[in-house]
Amino acid sequence: MTTSIIVDTQRTVTPLWPVPQERRVVTVLFADIVGSTALVDRLDPEDVRALQQAYFDTVAGVLHRWQGVVEKYIGDAVMALFGARHSDGFDAYRAVRAGLEIQAALDRRPMVGDIRLRVRVGVATGEVVVDLGNVVTGGHGVASGAVITAAARLQEYAAPGGVALCAATARATAGLITQRQLTPVPVAGRVPPVPLWHAVGPVRPGADRHDGPLIGRRRELATIRDQLGGAIRDRAPRWISLVGPTGSGRSRLLHELTRGLTTVDGTPVRWCVAACQPYPDQVLAPVAHLLRNLAGIRHSDGPAAVHDRLVAALTPLFPPTRVATAVPALQRMLTTPDGSAAALAGAAICREVLLRLAAHRPLIVAVDDLDRAAPAVSRFLHALFRAATERALPLAVLTVHQPQWADTRPGPARRVTIGPLATVQSGRLLRHLLTRAGQPVALVDRLLPLVGGRPGHSTAYVTSLVDGADPAALVLPEAVRRAVGAEVDHLDGERRAVLMAAGTLGGIICGAAVDRALGWTPGRSASALRGLVAAGMLRPHRVDGYAFAAPALRQVAAERLPRALRAVFASRTADTPRLDTVDAHTGEPADRAEAVGAGVVDAATAQVVRLDAVRSRAGLAALAPVSRPGATGPVRHRPVRTPRMATAPAAPNRQTHRSPGSGRLRVVVSAGDVPPTPAASTAASRRNAAAHWPPEVARSRAAISARPAVPGSARRGALVGVGETPPLRVTPGTPSPRWSDALAACA
């Protein structure tokens, strides 16, 4: 077998985005030869040299094939990083597969003479700081963090020829790698002993379980069913793409379709479904999966059983002579579904089998996670679709993939995008998951703002609770962090920078604030923000503002930045007017006009009051707006958008005549800020009007300030800025200033 080794000959001079370092969760592989000292002592130096070259070539070839970066060689030890620059969410899986393949490759290859090397491999996963410009083979000092030492310590406890895993790596590869837990081992400087797992081998792919009720998605189901039914009724093949990010419930929706759509106008429909595993061993493995599916072949079947099942499946479709020649070719493809000529010939026969099946009975071919498959699978599906179109067969192709995948659908294909669940639907799903897991249903209120309408995130949070997570301080589950990190890494440099800078801003994202954080010229981030909306990571909010599509996206994007850079971004945007607040119940941003009208206060001092807890008329009066002395206009009420309100208990004010039980609401722009004195506010207002605000905004602010003040209202109902915004004085019957207009001017 010929091994191709890719060597990085040039060091990256310009980083992929404007920040040279990132905090990232990576997987570190550390491999060391067993008994190297005794081996070297009995060999001639020239033989040692030849042995090292053969050993390093073998190990480096395997690491590069699994997209690992060799950071350093330490004597006869090798350290490699997975996910240092780009992550696909399967960094730990690739590292473990590389460790297993290194052992197999060294077993097959004699080094010098009859010498066979045995190595120990340790694989650990954790957070590091990565120098993005030096992520190349031989880039010494690329990453810094405790996980590097942990990987070196783990390999000391691995058996010769074995691969030892830390707890985080074991969790990241659960269901993908067969593991065996060992006795915890003592590690210097760590108490108690460290848990240890031994990797056995990759898990054979199996079907995912979907035993819970489907909540929501009725519109998507109806759309896809209509498209599939039309293809079968009209005998006009259609290609439907089901698109959504990880955790959106794509596979669950596919399962519901295969279970529910069994007939069209009384005609039975046959499904042929394949799932693409991450990094399949062979490029045509999904095609082999389709063949096993339609012929009813199990992985445990021997050669004779496979032969009999293929004959039974092909006999109604082909003449006997054709069956006799097709079955051996299909058997070869099932045994070795690689890109060889024999495997491609078997794939062509499989395609003809599918076409003839569709001629006898309507057929739907579905491929889940197509973005994981090799290009050969896409070519197979395109050839199948073209042939079915030419023959006018009742056949449909349904592909499931992520939105950032390079779409290779044919022109007339229909794209169905899966959005987040509605708040009510997410609540129902969380209640179901918590009940089934034996957790308190009251936790729905804490989890609802965190899951962002993604069913996969809901499942991950509930699973973390079952595993012992603290309900009072819920942290982002590792599975969610991996999936969201992979979404971020699919972005190009500029959009990635904008997303990370936006993650440090609270509430609604303003383009001007992003430009100031990154030190860019005004307006430069506009196209990147629109691109993030198209990628499904941001959503438009009000006029020209944006909000994160999922709370986990904001957290992962912000935590990628080193502490020093976060401080720089914060200082650059400290004097930027905040035109937004955050809803106390949902965690989603609400515009400032609604905050003024509804009385939403600063998140740091807000007191959450459930409306269903207010039982008396006096309690309702406590939430009502307060009439100011001298006000003659009617009190304007705004409808409450959520079943909660955020209120703050106001200190008694001797200058205000208030009825018992009444409450006064105050809006504060930034958490922890102290309202400025009137003199400081006036001075700051003049500076802003002269230097920072656009002319039209400055004129509107000057007009507001020139209005006659309402007695006693200088410190009531005032909008307090970051040491620069004067109190707003609102006259009776005069509309409040439109903060959406100010947001538009800012962006």
Side-chain angles (χ1 to χ4, degrees):
M1 180 181 70
T2 303
T3 302
S4 299
I5 301 177
I6 302 173
V7 180
D8 294 328
T9 57
Q10 294 183 352
R11 191 176 295 268
T12 304
V13 178
T14 303
L16 295 184
W17 73 289
V19 177
Q21 294 183 346
E22 276 187 20
R23 297 174 67 101
R24 301 179 63 89
V25 175
V26 303
T27 299
V28 181
L29 181 147
F30 200 95
D32 198 7
I33 298 176
V34 178
S36 60
T37 302
L39 180 63
V40 170
D41 287 344
R42 64 185 178 87
L43 291 179
D44 183 82
E46 294 184 10
D47 294 334
V48 173
R49 177 74 170 177
L51 179 69
Q52 287 179 333
Q53 288 181 339
Y55 165 66
F56 288 137
D57 287 348
T58 302
V59 173
V62 173
L63 292 173
H64 282 294
R65 197 172 81 82
W66 288 99
Q67 301 177 23
V69 174
V70 179
E71 199 221 34
K72 66 183 70 172
Y73 298 97
I74 310 171
D76 52 17
V78 181
M79 191 191 89
L81 304 174
F82 292 80
R85 175 179 287 170
H86 294 291
S87 175
D88 57 0
F90 297 98
D91 306 318
Y93 174 72
R94 289 186 285 109
V96 176
R97 290 295 304 270
L100 294 170
E101 190 171 317
I102 285 172
Q103 305 289 17
L106 292 177
D107 288 342
R108 293 192 302 265
R109 179 178 180 179
M111 297 292 108
V112 176
D114 294 332
I115 296 176
R116 292 184 180 272
L117 295 180
R118 303 291 285 172
V119 299
R120 293 186 176 94
V121 176
V123 182
T125 301
E127 189 177 33
V128 297
V129 175
V130 179
D131 185 349
L132 296 178
N134 290 328
V135 182
V136 292
T137 294
H140 184 79
V142 168
S144 303
V147 65
I148 296 174
T149 305
R153 296 289 179 267
L154 280 176
Q155 67 84 25
E156 297 175 359
Y157 292 96
V163 180
L165 314 178
C166 72
T169 305
R171 290 191 297 268
T173 57
L176 299 173
I177 299 291
T178 303
Q179 307 165 359
R180 185 173 69 252
Q181 188 169 5
L182 306 178
T183 304
V185 297
V187 175
R190 297 195 178 187
V191 179
V194 176
L196 187 68
W197 280 261
H198 174 73
V200 178
V203 174
R204 182 168 291 162
D208 295 334
R209 291 185 58 187
H210 301 286
D211 50 0
L214 179 69
I215 296 176
R217 308 304 186 200
R218 301 303 176 188
R219 180 178 300 176
E220 293 88 344
L221 273 175
T223 300
I224 298 174
R225 283 173 175 168
D226 180 67
Q227 292 292 319
L228 296 176
I232 293 171
R233 293 188 195 94
D234 303 337
R235 300 182 68 88
R238 298 185 186 181
W239 185 306
I240 301 99
S241 288
L242 185 57
V243 183
T246 303
S248 60
R250 303 180 316 236
S251 299
R252 178 68 178 86
L253 196 56
L254 175 60
H255 171 78
E256 187 69 17
L257 286 166
T258 58
R259 189 178 64 88
L261 185 60
T262 57
T263 61
V264 173
D265 296 339
T267 303
V269 175
R270 181 165 189 169
W271 284 82
C272 191
V273 183
C276 301
Q277 295 297 309
Y279 298 96
D281 293 331
Q282 307 290 347
V283 296
L284 291 176
V287 179
H289 191 178
L290 287 172
L291 180 60
R292 292 180 185 275
N293 187 312
L294 65 90
I297 299 173
R298 297 183 295 267
H299 286 280
S300 58
D301 290 340
V306 171
H307 180 274
D308 293 342
R309 292 182 184 277
L310 287 174
V311 170
L314 268 62
T315 298
L317 307 176
F318 296 96
T321 55
R322 179 61 172 160
V323 172
T325 58
V327 168
L330 293 175
Q331 281 186 293
R332 286 193 295 270
M333 189 198 70
L334 289 175
T335 304
T336 311
D338 55 10
S340 63
L344 291 174
I349 297 174
C350 180
R351 181 169 56 249
E352 185 62 28
V353 170
L354 293 172
L355 292 170
R356 298 204 175 197
L357 280 174
H360 287 76
R361 176 180 171 183
L363 179 67
I364 301 174
V365 178
V367 181
D368 196 4
D369 293 316
L370 184 59
D371 47 301
R372 300 178 182 175
V377 178
S378 293
R379 291 193 292 268
F380 172 87
L381 293 176
H382 277 266
L384 173 69
F385 185 77
R386 285 194 301 269
T389 303
E390 293 170 358
R391 303 182 192 183
L393 297 176
L395 180 143
V397 176
L398 177 60
T399 57
V400 183
H401 58 82
Q402 297 188 52
Q404 65 269 13
W405 181 60
D407 210 341
T408 60
R409 302 168 302 148
R414 174 67 184 269
R415 180 186 180 102
V416 179
T417 302
I418 304 179
L421 289 174
T423 303
V424 174
Q425 296 168 345
S426 290
R428 289 175 52 199
L429 176 61
L430 285 169
R431 281 192 292 272
H432 169 76
L433 294 174
L434 290 168
T435 302
R436 190 172 63 177
Q439 299 294 318
V441 179
L443 291 173
V444 170
D445 287 341
R446 286 193 50 78
L447 293 174
L448 197 57
L450 304 177
V451 300
R454 294 193 184 184
H457 292 192
S458 300
T459 303
Y461 271 104
V462 174
T463 302
S464 68
L465 289 171
V466 174
D467 293 339
D470 183 7
L474 289 171
V475 299
L476 191 66
E478 294 178 359
V480 176
R481 187 181 298 276
R482 287 193 300 270
V484 172
E487 292 181 48
V488 174
D489 282 346
H490 277 99
L491 300 173
D492 58 28
E494 191 153 295
R495 287 189 297 169
R496 188 164 154 193
V498 169
L499 189 75
M500 291 185 179
T504 63
L505 306 175
I508 300 173
I509 301 160
C510 177
V514 173
D515 289 330
R516 296 189 68 174
L518 292 171
W520 288 355
T521 57
R524 178 178 170 185
S525 64
S527 60
L529 288 169
R530 290 191 296 268
L532 292 171
V533 172
M537 294 188 172
L538 298 180
R539 55 184 175 83
H541 189 83
R542 299 299 182 265
V543 186
D544 287 331
Y546 302 91
F548 276 86
L553 274 168
R554 179 189 291 273
Q555 182 173 344
V556 170
E559 291 178 352
R560 285 281 188 90
L561 296 170
R563 293 193 309 266
L565 192 58
R566 290 183 219 168
V568 171
F569 284 3
S571 65
R572 288 176 178 174
T573 59
D575 58 347
T576 301
R578 294 284 302 279
L579 305 178
D580 55 271
T581 187
V582 178
D583 187 279
H585 174 53
T586 64
E588 297 179 353
D591 65 11
R592 180 61 64 190
E594 292 182 351
V596 175
V600 180
V601 299
D602 188 285
T605 59
Q607 175 187 359
V608 176
V609 179
R610 296 183 62 94
L611 294 186
D612 55 6
V614 181
R615 303 292 184 184
S616 64
R617 188 178 300 273
L620 290 174
L623 300 179
V626 179
S627 60
R628 298 180 177 88
T632 59
V635 178
R636 301 181 60 134
H637 297 270
R638 289 183 180 267
V640 179
R641 298 174 58 194
T642 64
R644 289 184 168 191
M645 291 184 65
T647 66
N653 190 339
R654 298 177 182 176
Q655 299 178 358
T656 307
H657 301 285
R658 301 164 57 189
S659 60
S662 63
R664 179 169 54 82
L665 304 182
R666 224 172 131 229
V667 177
V668 179
V669 175
S670 179
D673 289 332
V674 179
T677 62
S681 299
T682 304
S685 174
R686 292 171 180 170
R687 288 195 303 269
N688 289 330
H692 300 294
W693 293 94
E696 60 275 12
V697 179
R699 287 193 297 270
S700 64
R701 290 167 58 86
I704 294 170
S705 300
R707 291 172 183 162
V710 179
S713 64
R715 299 186 58 83
R716 291 197 309 275
L719 184 65
V720 180
V722 190
E724 64 182 21
T725 306
L728 293 181
R729 300 173 179 178
V730 183
T731 59
T734 303
S736 299
R738 295 182 58 191
W739 285 96
S740 56
D741 295 341
L743 178 61
C746 179

